[in-house]
Amino acid sequence: MRELSPEPEPEQERPEPAAAGGHAGEPVGRAGEDAQVIVVGAGPAGSSAAYHLARAGVDVILLEKARFPREKVCGDGLTPRAVHQLIRMGVDISAPGWVRSRGMRWVAGEHRVHIDWPALGRYPDFGLSRSRHDFDDILARHAVAAGARLFSGWKAEAPLTDRAGRVIGVTARSDSPDAPGSPDAPGPSGPRTQTGTGAKTPARTPVDFRAPVVIAADGASARLALALGLERDPRRQIATAARRYYRSPERSQEEYLELWADLRFPDHGPYLPGYGWIFPMGDGRVNVGLGALPHRRHGKADLRATLDQWLARTPEEWGLRDENAQGPVRSAALPLGFNRHPLYARGLLLVGDSGGMVSPWNGEGIAQALEAGEVAAETAALALAHPEGPRREQVLRGYPVEMHHRWGRHYRLGNAAADVIFSRSGFQPVLNRYVMNSPFLLNTLARLLTDLTDKPSRDVIDHVLNTAFRVVPAPRPGRAAGRRLGLGRAVR
C-alpha cells in the first residue's frame, strides 16, 4: 500500500483560525496531516469517495478506526446496481473470491420462484457475493492504489471547526502506541508527537487532521453528524439485521440469492416485518441472516430466536445447524430512507449509513454507499476547483439536491410502504399467490425492490415504474435549524 507523506514537524506551528470560545478541559490536538479532503471511514462509502477523489487528482486522507481485514455485519450479497459501481471503480471482479449470482429465489409459503437479474442497458445482468471480511479491504486498497492516503487504526473523535462553526477537519486518536498509518506502509508512518527528550514517538494524544472538505462515512453511529447537531429523523424507522456463517457445501455454490418472506416472530407469532436470506459464498459457506423493521404492534423481534425457529424448518442436508456455524450471530442497525438530514452542512458531507441511505425497500446499503461516495467525490472535487467562498459553498450544497434527485422519489415511496405495509404485515400482502404466479408482477416487484430500471424506459416494466415514480411528489432536501447545529471542537 502507498507509503504516507512525510511526517509533520510538531515544533513548526501553523497559523490557526481563532475560535469563538472553546470547551473547558478539552484536549488540544497535535498538528497532524493536511489534505484537500478528509474521508472518515473506509467502508464502501468512504473507500468509494476516496478512490474517486484520488482519481480526480485531489489530495485525500482516508481515516479508518479499525484495521483490515475486519468483520462487518452484512448479507454479503451484491445486486447489479452494486456491481455497476465496482466496475466504475475498476475493481477486478473476475479475480478469485467473487461469486456470481444469476438472480433471486423468493420463498413464501409453498411458493418458490426464480427471478433472473434483468438485462438492462445501465446495469450488468449478474450479481456478486463477497465476504465483507475482505471486501472492504479490497476497496480501501483500491483507493490507496489510486492515490489516497489511508490511516488505519485512527478513530475520528470530533469535527474541527473554525470561529464561524465551519468544519475544517477532524481530531483523531490512534488505537495503538505504534500508531501505524497503513498496515502495509514500510518505515515511518502516521502523525507523531515529540517527547521531552526531543525523540519522536507515536501519537497517543488527539491529532488534528485538516481539510476544507470532510466526508463522513462513519456508519450508522454517525459520530461526526451528531457532533454538528444533525439528528436522525424520528419519523423514519431503523431496521435491524443479524447474520451468521454456516458450513454448507450443499448451498455454497448456488447461483441464486435466496430470500424467505414467510418468517414469523418466535412461537409462531405474527409475520416478521422483513425477510431472511441464504447467500452462497462459494467457499463451502453460506451467509444466513435476517433483516426486520420493528412491528407496529409487537415491536422488535428477537432475531436470534427467529433465526433458530426459521433454520429448524430447513432440510438437514443444508447443514444450517449450530454444529456447522462459524462464529457467533452478529447484528447491526440499518438506517433507512434518508433518515438523517441535511446531507450537507458547513463543510461536512454525509455518505452511506451516516446519512441513512439504506434502501427502505430491501435493506440494501452497499450499492447506495458506493454511489453516494462517487457523487460526494464529484461534488467535492468540483467545489475545490473554486476558491474558498460563496461559489464553493454553492457547489457543496448541490450534493443533497443530487442525492434526492437520484433516490428521493424511490425512497419516499419506500418509506411509505415500510410504514403502511411492511412494518405491519411484512412481505406477505405483497408476495401473495397472485403475484407469485405472475411472471410480469414478480419481475416488476423485483425491479421495484432493487431499483433496477432503465431511463429512458426500454420495456413495459421500465415504463410502469418510471411513471409511478414521476407521480410521487419530489421530496425537498431536509435542513436542520441553524441554532441546533453544534460546533464540534473549536480550533483555538
Side-chain angles (χ1 to χ4, degrees):
M1 300 180 87
R2 181 185 174 192
E3 185 173 350
L4 299 174
S5 59
E7 300 166 8
E9 295 294 335
E11 65 272 12
Q12 296 179 355
E13 293 199 8
R14 292 174 291 184
E16 299 182 359
H23 301 289
E26 192 173 52
V28 177
R30 302 283 184 172
E33 295 274 348
D34 288 351
Q36 291 178 287
V37 178
I38 292 171
V39 179
V40 177
S47 291
S48 171
Y51 167 81
H52 289 290
L53 283 164
R55 289 280 293 173
V58 176
D59 180 21
V60 55
I61 285 175
L62 180 59
L63 296 177
E64 168 55 41
K65 66 181 180 181
R67 297 178 184 278
F68 295 111
R70 52 144 165 79
E71 288 287 340
K72 276 288 183 178
V73 177
C74 183
D76 299 334
L78 305 175
T79 66
R81 196 177 184 103
V83 177
H84 170 73
Q85 290 299 134
L86 295 177
I87 294 171
R88 289 182 62 82
M89 291 178 65
V91 175
D92 182 8
I93 58 175
S94 65
W98 298 97
V99 180
R100 292 200 178 197
S101 64
R102 290 180 53 187
M104 298 177 287
R105 179 188 296 114
W106 288 357
V107 179
E110 299 301 318
H111 298 278
R112 283 168 168 76
V113 295
H114 292 81
I115 306 169
D116 287 346
W117 297 119
L120 302 174
R122 298 174 66 194
Y123 304 108
D125 61 353
F126 62 92
L128 292 170
S129 295
R130 182 97 194 201
S131 169
R132 288 289 297 275
H133 185 260
D134 59 357
F135 176 79
D136 289 16
D137 189 16
I138 290 170
L139 295 186
R141 289 176 179 272
H142 203 64
V144 169
R149 291 184 279 154
L150 173 64
F151 286 76
S152 296
W154 285 86
K155 182 178 181 179
E157 297 185 331
L160 294 173
T161 58
D162 62 15
R163 66 173 59 188
R166 184 177 182 83
V167 177
I168 57 171
V170 298
T171 180
R173 192 189 304 266
S174 172
D175 67 352
S176 167
D178 295 331
S182 170
D184 295 338
S189 58
R192 303 232 168 177
T193 59
Q194 196 169 14
T195 67
T197 62
K200 290 181 181 179
T201 60
R204 301 182 187 182
T205 56
V207 172
D208 292 348
F209 291 81
R210 300 168 185 260
V213 177
V214 175
I215 296 176
D218 47 351
S221 65
R223 178 186 293 265
L224 295 182
L226 289 173
L228 288 190
L230 305 181
E231 302 289 343
R232 180 177 70 84
D233 185 345
R235 298 170 299 174
R236 299 276 69 85
Q237 300 194 57
I238 292 184
T240 306
R243 68 101 174 101
R244 196 178 197 182
Y245 292 104
Y246 291 85
R247 294 186 301 275
S248 179
E250 172 90 8
R251 303 303 309 276
S252 182
Q253 303 296 328
E254 282 279 348
E255 293 183 305
Y256 289 88
L257 304 179
E258 186 161 297
L259 307 173
W260 289 54
D262 62 349
L263 308 187
R264 290 183 178 271
F265 273 62
D267 299 322
H268 306 287
Y271 282 113
L272 187 75
Y275 62 87
W277 69 76
I278 303 174
F279 291 169
M281 303 306 300
D283 58 359
R285 300 180 302 155
V286 290
N287 180 316
V288 180
L290 303 167
L293 294 163
H295 195 282
R296 281 293 185 183
R297 291 180 57 193
H298 303 278
K300 292 184 178 180
D302 181 341
L303 294 187
R304 174 59 192 266
T306 305
L307 182 67
D308 291 342
Q309 178 176 278
W310 166 38
L311 296 186
R313 295 167 49 193
T314 61
E316 190 78 28
E317 58 269 22
W318 289 6
L320 306 183
R321 302 293 185 265
D322 280 349
E323 60 268 23
N324 295 318
Q326 292 194 328
V329 176
R330 300 181 185 273
S331 61
L334 301 178
L336 306 173
F338 287 141
N339 77 341
R340 193 179 305 278
H341 49 76
L343 297 176
Y344 168 75
R346 303 189 334 246
L348 181 73
L349 297 88
L350 309 183
V351 298
D353 287 2
S354 71
M357 294 183 177
V358 176
S359 169
W361 287 101
N362 64 358
E364 180 184 15
I366 292 182
Q368 290 76 6
L370 294 171
E371 187 172 340
E374 181 178 9
V375 175
E378 291 176 349
T379 303
L382 179 58
L384 291 169
H386 299 279
E388 182 179 357
R391 182 68 184 100
R392 178 183 291 182
E393 184 68 11
Q394 181 184 11
V395 174
L396 292 172
R397 288 185 181 278
Y399 169 68
V401 176
E402 175 61 22
M403 295 314 305
H404 280 81
H405 172 72
R406 291 181 179 224
W407 306 337
R409 286 183 166 90
H410 187 250
Y411 276 20
R412 188 169 194 173
L413 194 59
N415 285 331
D419 291 340
V420 176
I421 302 174
F422 301 147
S423 64
R424 300 174 188 271
S425 307
F427 282 87
Q428 281 303 298
V430 179
L431 295 181
N432 55 62
R433 61 190 180 91
Y434 300 105
V435 173
M436 296 292 277
N437 288 322
S438 169
F440 175 78
L441 293 178
L442 274 175
N443 281 285
T444 301
L445 180 60
R447 286 164 66 173
L448 170 64
L449 295 177
T450 54
D451 195 14
L452 292 174
T453 58
D454 266 330
K455 297 175 183 176
S457 301
R458 294 195 179 192
D459 60 19
V460 175
I461 294 178
D462 281 343
H463 181 72
V464 169
L465 294 178
N466 290 333
T467 300
F469 294 142
R470 280 196 295 269
V471 301
V472 175
R476 297 180 61 186
R479 295 190 179 186
R483 68 182 61 184
R484 293 178 56 209
L485 297 181
L487 290 180
R489 186 176 78 74
V491 175
R492 309 198 227 316

